Amino acid sequence: MSNTIYTMGVDVGGSYVKGVLLAYDDATQKHTIVDKQTEKIRKRNPKDVVVELVDTLLERNNLNYDKDIKYLASTGEGEMVEKKTGHFYSMTTHAKGGIFFAPNAKTVVDMGGLYVRAVKVDSKGKVIDYKMTGQCASGSGQFIENISRYLGLAIEEVGEISLKADNPEVPSGICAVLAETDVINLVSKGLSTPNIVKGINLSIAQRVVKLLGALNAETPIALVGGMGMNVGMIQAVEELSQENKKASFEFIPHPDAIYSGAVGAAIWGGYRYYKLKDKQTAVVA
Amino acid sequence: MNKYYLGIDLGSTTSKAVIIDENDQIIGRGITNTRANYKVAADIAREEAIYDARFTLLSNIIKTDMEAKPEFKKYMEDIRTVFQYQQFKRRMEILEEKLVKTSEAFPYPNKNEIIDRLKSILNVIRPQIRHEFVHGGLGSKNQFFRDIVSERYNLEVAKAGKEFYEPLMLAFDKSITPVENEMVQYNFKELILESMKVLEEKYKGLADEQEDGSKEDWYYAELNAVRNNYKNVELSLREHFELVAEQEIHIANMVGTGYGRALLPFPEECIKSEILCHAFGAHAVFPNTRTVLDIGGQDTKAIQVDSHGLVTSFHMNDRCAAGCGRYLGYIADEFGISLNELGPEAMSATKETTICSTCTVFAGAEVKELIHNGEERPNILAGLHKAIVQRAMSLIARSGGVKNEFTFTGGVARNQAVLKYVKQMVTESYGEVTMNIHTDSIFMGALGGAMFARRNVTAALPA
């Protein structure tokens, strides 16, 4: 008998909360995204944002939390999710989510608000090895957000505008904060907005390609995380990877890439639900 | 004819201009946010310094009157802030126009509602700002157009409801930069005359008692004096105002320094490194200084100088902005408070929370977490301030330590919590040394520039 269960995944990041409602069909063993929602935190209390997001997903789908949701899995800053059944480490959720979006990927690159991490995965989305940026926010999504605000761009416009570049200049600053001054200088020199944005995308892409080299990453590579949805960024990593003589990578982007952590969490949640259930059944039996 | 010399320090965050006379005395100061265009920032700072110089010249002329009569002193003070308001008002009108235009180009379906909301927000903040300038002396507290507008604008947007939040914020982000980068020409005389009218209105409007029976804020000796005498003061000042308005401020030479100096169309002789200028300026004010610490928006510099004010060695942060002024800017933004509230709040801490992240952006994220873990805000702030000073101390050590008198310059020297930790840590590491902090600390680079300009009179002026 086929049996569908619902799980939820909530990924609390530095600037966004991402949530998905997932359905798992027992018979086909397939997960499908039923609904999804992103909320910008801005100056709000992330805890309130999480509550709002979970309620929205439930209401929109006429579901009752206690009755219908078998597992609410958190990832990222998980302690913000008060109703959670359990928490999963970001590395594992993004790996799982990456494989969900690109089943034949050998590596998952998560490009988020604060970090970029490259994770080697097996066919089931288990982590084999990883490398991540640390200590410094250059090459993070926050960096792009600051620059776009400075240039007066909506975050949704940033990707498209980069595609219009004809002669990008890569800023020399290594630090995200110093690079902002570089951008002031570029504007001052009369560089066009598309060329500035593309230059920044290229500078971040350089770090990504370096990270992949250090990891000895295998291709194809699933691109996930907030920046993984940015078409300008996708173009930049693809271009740089083609120029790279040592190893050329094939990238698989996905329009829902920002949800990778939430999706991964929801899948792991479902998995743990069955594990727990079997254990309980076993104990009872 | 008197000759004057100009120094312009184009910092990454703020641009400063200083005008000195032939005795190296500062007669004019100008400061503005550095945004997108260094040329405009330099022009605005210079114009500000020239206006300021006219006020200084006027104060010198009526010095005896000002010393003898409190109403003269008060009137001069008031007219300066109203003058600042008049400048603000011109730019604000341009911004309002731009905001509406930007919103009109939006693809949002509820565009008309957004524009209505925008207009009502402007109607709320316009009189607020006017009042704060005219009655609260806002101009002397905050000199930055963007900060003044955005603080009040954001407050109103937050009340406007969720569906308007993003579009209204975007409208502001898209409009503010072009407006800041527009050079607005003012006529000094016109603005002064308008300011006199505003003041007349202000003094007339000071009622003996407010509706609720309380005394109004004129109940201070100085304001009270000018309230009863402003006609006399106005009469005796009008002529002087017209005189200084016509007076030519002849800039005989100038020097540009700072981050953006290389991007300006200055001839080579008119450009000097900011390390040299900061050291020279600080040394001029405090001749016994041998070590200068300058914490600016994006750089921290530890400089050793000789008895002539020339640099013997220096160290600065190069690859990373950790521990600079922007660090504090980021943190203020995370907390949603203004930059000048940070220091006082950190002073009220009971302990210093440890901040692990060095990176400015990461520290911002760490702060968010600490708040949600229930840490007290002053304690977090104290930790952040301490971290800044620790980083500065390591630069000082690498540059050769603290010798003889120590001078602290740059915008961050205005922050009393940073000051407290600097005093504490310098004393711990180097024993009791004389520490100098000047009210004009942020202008030291520009002052040094102006002094170099005076000593290098042969250089041709840029067109």
Side-chain angles (χ1 to χ4, degrees), chain B residues 404-426:
Chain B
N404 200 346
E405 284 188 22
F406 170 81
T407 303
F408 186 16
T409 72
V412 176
R414 290 176 166 182
N415 180 309
Q416 45 178 297
V418 171
L419 221 57
K420 176 183 118 182
Y421 289 115
V422 165
K423 281 182 182 157
Q424 196 177 308
M425 287 187 214
V426 167

mmCIF file of all heavy atoms in Angstrom, chain B residues 404-426:
data_model
loop_
_atom_site.group_PDB
_atom_site.id
_atom_site.type_symbol
_atom_site.label_atom_id
_atom_site.label_comp_id
_atom_site.label_asym_id
_atom_site.label_seq_id
_atom_site.Cartn_x
_atom_site.Cartn_y
_atom_site.Cartn_z
ATOM 1 N N ASN B 404 57.725 58.314 23.322
ATOM 2 C CA ASN B 404 57.386 59.646 23.811
ATOM 3 C C ASN B 404 55.895 59.918 23.697
ATOM 4 O O ASN B 404 55.083 59.102 24.091
ATOM 5 C CB ASN B 404 58.195 60.696 23.074
ATOM 6 C CG ASN B 404 58.251 61.991 23.860
ATOM 7 O OD1 ASN B 404 57.490 62.167 24.808
ATOM 8 N ND2 ASN B 404 59.137 62.870 23.506
ATOM 9 N N GLU B 405 55.512 61.066 23.147
ATOM 10 C CA GLU B 405 54.083 61.385 23.097
ATOM 11 C C GLU B 405 53.387 60.593 21.996
ATOM 12 O O GLU B 405 53.932 60.377 20.924
ATOM 13 C CB GLU B 405 53.894 62.885 22.875
ATOM 14 C CG GLU B 405 54.152 63.659 24.134
ATOM 15 C CD GLU B 405 53.777 65.126 24.000
ATOM 16 O OE1 GLU B 405 52.963 65.452 23.118
ATOM 17 O OE2 GLU B 405 54.310 65.923 24.776
ATOM 18 N N PHE B 406 52.175 60.223 22.323
ATOM 19 C CA PHE B 406 51.395 59.374 21.440
ATOM 20 C C PHE B 406 50.147 60.155 21.021
ATOM 21 O O PHE B 406 49.453 60.724 21.856
ATOM 22 C CB PHE B 406 51.014 58.112 22.222
ATOM 23 C CG PHE B 406 50.013 57.230 21.554
ATOM 24 C CD1 PHE B 406 50.405 56.347 20.558
ATOM 25 C CD2 PHE B 406 48.670 57.261 21.922
ATOM 26 C CE1 PHE B 406 49.478 55.517 19.943
ATOM 27 C CE2 PHE B 406 47.747 56.438 21.307
ATOM 28 C CZ PHE B 406 48.152 55.559 20.318
ATOM 29 N N THR B 407 49.882 60.230 19.703
ATOM 30 C CA THR B 407 48.703 60.955 19.229
ATOM 31 C C THR B 407 47.773 60.012 18.489
ATOM 32 O O THR B 407 48.214 59.208 17.670
ATOM 33 C CB THR B 407 49.119 62.126 18.306
ATOM 34 O OG1 THR B 407 49.998 62.959 19.032
ATOM 35 C CG2 THR B 407 47.905 62.928 17.878
ATOM 36 N N PHE B 408 46.518 60.115 18.818
ATOM 37 C CA PHE B 408 45.503 59.250 18.234
ATOM 38 C C PHE B 408 44.654 60.111 17.294
ATOM 39 O O PHE B 408 44.045 61.084 17.720
ATOM 40 C CB PHE B 408 44.661 58.658 19.374
ATOM 41 C CG PHE B 408 43.648 57.629 18.938
ATOM 42 C CD1 PHE B 408 43.715 57.014 17.693
ATOM 43 C CD2 PHE B 408 42.622 57.253 19.803
ATOM 44 C CE1 PHE B 408 42.783 56.054 17.318
ATOM 45 C CE2 PHE B 408 41.677 56.302 19.422
ATOM 46 C CZ PHE B 408 41.766 55.706 18.186
ATOM 47 N N THR B 409 44.640 59.787 16.002
ATOM 48 C CA THR B 409 43.874 60.570 15.047
ATOM 49 C C THR B 409 42.903 59.688 14.266
ATOM 50 O O THR B 409 42.851 58.487 14.456
ATOM 51 C CB THR B 409 44.795 61.290 14.033
ATOM 52 O OG1 THR B 409 45.323 60.308 13.135
ATOM 53 C CG2 THR B 409 45.908 62.027 14.700
ATOM 54 N N GLY B 410 42.137 60.318 13.387
ATOM 55 C CA GLY B 410 41.187 59.581 12.550
ATOM 56 C C GLY B 410 39.800 59.620 13.150
ATOM 57 O O GLY B 410 39.611 59.969 14.314
ATOM 58 N N GLY B 411 38.809 59.254 12.349
ATOM 59 C CA GLY B 411 37.413 59.335 12.766
ATOM 60 C C GLY B 411 37.107 58.522 14.009
ATOM 61 O O GLY B 411 36.286 58.923 14.845
ATOM 62 N N VAL B 412 37.769 57.373 14.165
ATOM 63 C CA VAL B 412 37.457 56.479 15.284
ATOM 64 C C VAL B 412 37.922 57.070 16.622
ATOM 65 O O VAL B 412 37.415 56.698 17.681
ATOM 66 C CB VAL B 412 38.054 55.080 15.018
ATOM 67 C CG1 VAL B 412 37.844 54.147 16.186
ATOM 68 C CG2 VAL B 412 37.407 54.463 13.781
ATOM 69 N N ALA B 413 38.847 58.018 16.576
ATOM 70 C CA ALA B 413 39.325 58.649 17.807
ATOM 71 C C ALA B 413 38.203 59.424 18.510
ATOM 72 O O ALA B 413 38.343 59.833 19.654
ATOM 73 C CB ALA B 413 40.502 59.570 17.512
ATOM 74 N N ARG B 414 37.083 59.627 17.797
ATOM 75 C CA ARG B 414 35.936 60.285 18.427
ATOM 76 C C ARG B 414 35.157 59.350 19.344
ATOM 77 O O ARG B 414 34.298 59.780 20.089
ATOM 78 C CB ARG B 414 34.960 60.761 17.342
ATOM 79 C CG ARG B 414 35.461 61.904 16.524
ATOM 80 C CD ARG B 414 34.450 62.206 15.445
ATOM 81 N NE ARG B 414 34.729 63.498 14.834
ATOM 82 C CZ ARG B 414 33.979 64.046 13.884
ATOM 83 N NH1 ARG B 414 32.910 63.419 13.448
ATOM 84 N NH2 ARG B 414 34.292 65.207 13.375
ATOM 85 N N ASN B 415 35.440 58.065 19.214
ATOM 86 C CA ASN B 415 34.687 57.074 19.976
ATOM 87 C C ASN B 415 35.333 56.864 21.352
ATOM 88 O O ASN B 415 36.472 56.423 21.464
ATOM 89 C CB ASN B 415 34.678 55.769 19.175
ATOM 90 C CG ASN B 415 33.924 54.660 19.858
ATOM 91 O OD1 ASN B 415 34.157 54.364 21.023
ATOM 92 N ND2 ASN B 415 33.016 54.053 19.137
ATOM 93 N N GLN B 416 34.582 57.198 22.394
ATOM 94 C CA GLN B 416 35.185 57.191 23.731
ATOM 95 C C GLN B 416 35.520 55.799 24.255
ATOM 96 O O GLN B 416 36.454 55.649 25.054
ATOM 97 C CB GLN B 416 34.278 57.921 24.720
ATOM 98 C CG GLN B 416 32.816 57.527 24.585
ATOM 99 C CD GLN B 416 31.967 58.239 25.613
ATOM 100 O OE1 GLN B 416 32.145 58.045 26.796
ATOM 101 N NE2 GLN B 416 31.040 59.062 25.164
ATOM 102 N N ALA B 417 34.800 54.779 23.786
ATOM 103 C CA ALA B 417 35.114 53.428 24.255
ATOM 104 C C ALA B 417 36.443 52.970 23.653
ATOM 105 O O ALA B 417 37.274 52.357 24.335
ATOM 106 C CB ALA B 417 34.001 52.459 23.896
ATOM 107 N N VAL B 418 36.643 53.278 22.368
ATOM 108 C CA VAL B 418 37.929 52.948 21.745
ATOM 109 C C VAL B 418 39.041 53.669 22.502
ATOM 110 O O VAL B 418 40.077 53.097 22.832
ATOM 111 C CB VAL B 418 37.938 53.341 20.253
ATOM 112 C CG1 VAL B 418 39.335 53.212 19.667
ATOM 113 C CG2 VAL B 418 36.962 52.488 19.466
ATOM 114 N N LEU B 419 38.782 54.913 22.792
ATOM 115 C CA LEU B 419 39.741 55.737 23.517
ATOM 116 C C LEU B 419 40.126 55.112 24.857
ATOM 117 O O LEU B 419 41.299 55.058 25.230
ATOM 118 C CB LEU B 419 39.076 57.087 23.771
ATOM 119 C CG LEU B 419 39.927 58.311 23.603
ATOM 120 C CD1 LEU B 419 40.497 58.350 22.206
ATOM 121 C CD2 LEU B 419 39.080 59.552 23.828
ATOM 122 N N LYS B 420 39.114 54.639 25.551
ATOM 123 C CA LYS B 420 39.339 54.032 26.860
ATOM 124 C C LYS B 420 40.290 52.835 26.736
ATOM 125 O O LYS B 420 41.251 52.720 27.490
ATOM 126 C CB LYS B 420 37.989 53.579 27.437
ATOM 127 C CG LYS B 420 38.090 52.853 28.765
ATOM 128 C CD LYS B 420 36.741 52.354 29.248
ATOM 129 C CE LYS B 420 36.763 50.840 29.356
ATOM 130 N NZ LYS B 420 35.464 50.290 29.781
ATOM 131 N N TYR B 421 40.014 51.978 25.750
ATOM 132 C CA TYR B 421 40.857 50.783 25.602
ATOM 133 C C TYR B 421 42.252 51.143 25.103
ATOM 134 O O TYR B 421 43.230 50.505 25.467
ATOM 135 C CB TYR B 421 40.190 49.768 24.681
ATOM 136 C CG TYR B 421 38.980 49.128 25.323
ATOM 137 C CD1 TYR B 421 37.707 49.319 24.819
ATOM 138 C CD2 TYR B 421 39.130 48.329 26.461
ATOM 139 C CE1 TYR B 421 36.599 48.749 25.413
ATOM 140 C CE2 TYR B 421 38.028 47.756 27.068
ATOM 141 C CZ TYR B 421 36.758 47.969 26.542
ATOM 142 O OH TYR B 421 35.671 47.398 27.144
ATOM 143 N N VAL B 422 42.332 52.175 24.243
ATOM 144 C CA VAL B 422 43.656 52.604 23.776
ATOM 145 C C VAL B 422 44.489 53.054 24.973
ATOM 146 O O VAL B 422 45.638 52.641 25.142
ATOM 147 C CB VAL B 422 43.540 53.742 22.728
ATOM 148 C CG1 VAL B 422 44.889 54.422 22.529
ATOM 149 C CG2 VAL B 422 43.044 53.204 21.399
ATOM 150 N N LYS B 423 43.891 53.883 25.822
ATOM 151 C CA LYS B 423 44.611 54.370 27.001
ATOM 152 C C LYS B 423 45.061 53.205 27.867
ATOM 153 O O LYS B 423 46.202 53.125 28.297
ATOM 154 C CB LYS B 423 43.720 55.306 27.818
ATOM 155 C CG LYS B 423 43.656 56.688 27.204
ATOM 156 C CD LYS B 423 42.825 57.639 28.039
ATOM 157 C CE LYS B 423 42.742 58.993 27.357
ATOM 158 N NZ LYS B 423 41.592 59.766 27.760
ATOM 159 N N GLN B 424 44.118 52.307 28.087
ATOM 160 C CA GLN B 424 44.383 51.155 28.942
ATOM 161 C C GLN B 424 45.524 50.309 28.382
ATOM 162 O O GLN B 424 46.486 50.000 29.065
ATOM 163 C CB GLN B 424 43.091 50.339 28.976
ATOM 164 C CG GLN B 424 42.990 49.308 30.072
ATOM 165 C CD GLN B 424 41.609 48.660 29.981
ATOM 166 O OE1 GLN B 424 40.578 49.335 29.949
ATOM 167 N NE2 GLN B 424 41.578 47.345 29.885
ATOM 168 N N MET B 425 45.429 49.970 27.097
ATOM 169 C CA MET B 425 46.408 49.028 26.549
ATOM 170 C C MET B 425 47.755 49.667 26.277
ATOM 171 O O MET B 425 48.783 49.015 26.431
ATOM 172 C CB MET B 425 45.851 48.404 25.267
ATOM 173 C CG MET B 425 44.744 47.406 25.570
ATOM 174 S SD MET B 425 44.259 46.544 24.093
ATOM 175 C CE MET B 425 42.529 46.321 24.417
ATOM 176 N N VAL B 426 47.761 50.942 25.873
ATOM 177 C CA VAL B 426 49.043 51.608 25.659
ATOM 178 C C VAL B 426 49.776 51.704 26.995
ATOM 179 O O VAL B 426 50.983 51.446 27.075
ATOM 180 C CB VAL B 426 48.856 53.009 25.022
ATOM 181 C CG1 VAL B 426 50.144 53.819 25.104
ATOM 182 C CG2 VAL B 426 48.430 52.877 23.569
#
